[in-house]
Amino acid sequence: MTVCSAPGKVYLFGEHAVVYGEPAVPCAIERRARVTAEPRSDDHVRVEAEDLSLDGFTVEYDGAVGDHPDVDVERSLLDAAMGYIDAAVSQAREAAGAPDAGFDIAVESDIPLGAGLGSSAAVVVAGIDAATRALGEPLSPRELADRAYRAEYDVQDGQASRADTFCSAMGGAVRVEGDDCERIETPNLPFVVGFDGGAGDTGALVAGVRELKSEYDFAADTVTSIGDIVREGERILGAADPDAEPEAELLAELGDLMNFNHGLLSALGVSARSLDSMVWAARDAGAHGAKLTGAGGGGCIVALDPTPETKTALSFTQGCADAFRAELATEGVRVEAP
Ligand code: PMV
């Protein structure tokens, strides 16, 4: 039995624009998905998923891939979760040269599904790692990131960047621009996350931005402007001492860029009333900046605040189901057992 875990992430800057080749800076956070893989004597795959938080509920089911558990949650989310596990198994079989390998797989996650925190990437990265290790063919984190990207690409019909999967595999803060992915050094940023209890449909949101972008030059310019924000953010991060506590001036500069980034994402139609309301609650509470994270449409916002104020304000904000501090996860995918 092999257990691997991989972290979720928040986008400091750059989601959506990254799909069109602009750079993005996601940061791994200490919320993990854990996947257990046990090789079987036949070629079947059996998946048991516990604690997949959907819409604030906890789903518990146990069934073979293809069976549908009797739970009161959106089928699309559940199917998506199963699709990612299926794709991870295919990648692991291919990587290990074992096309008929069967597994008993168990998934546990404390990352809400489809909420912009990279739950699917974490499950896929941890799943491929656990399955290949269980077959005695471990991959490097970079190979895992690449395989996980291919799995997401297949499930999301080609509408995926390398950002989520690379960040989850490598940990820390990363910069992604097209196929070019690297880890970057950043100070330990004081992230606070607000979660509205819901989820967005990544495929539909990405398609919506693509449509706007092809219809209006100003929407295409908006995507390029998000890239400019990311480049400015990278310049500021590059000048900061990664080992020092971040100073208020640095947080203020990054926060301004996050606010701007949120405004442009909102202009591209991917925000939501609940996300805007949490963003404003965070700003009113004194956060240096706040923006939605991930695909949008519902799910999470991320704010920068070293004080407890933002978390407290969010927990009293109507429409906020959960608020928590998210530590930067310096470690990416890792073996938990044996
Ligand atoms: O909501 P998430 O965590 O799946 O992030 C989606 C980020 C996008 O830029 C919208 C799509 C992508 O694959 O980069």
Side-chain angles (χ1 to χ4, degrees), residues 9 11 15-16 18-19 116-118 156 159-161 164 202 206 294-295:
K9 58 105 226 318
Y11 272 93
E15 55 273 87
H16 282 285
V18 70
V19 175
L117 298 183
Q156 292 170 205
Q159 313 235 48
S161 72
D164 283 27
T202 302
V206 170

Side-chain angles (χ1 to χ4, degrees), residues 205 258 264 294:
L205 291 154
M258 290 169 76
L264 297 185

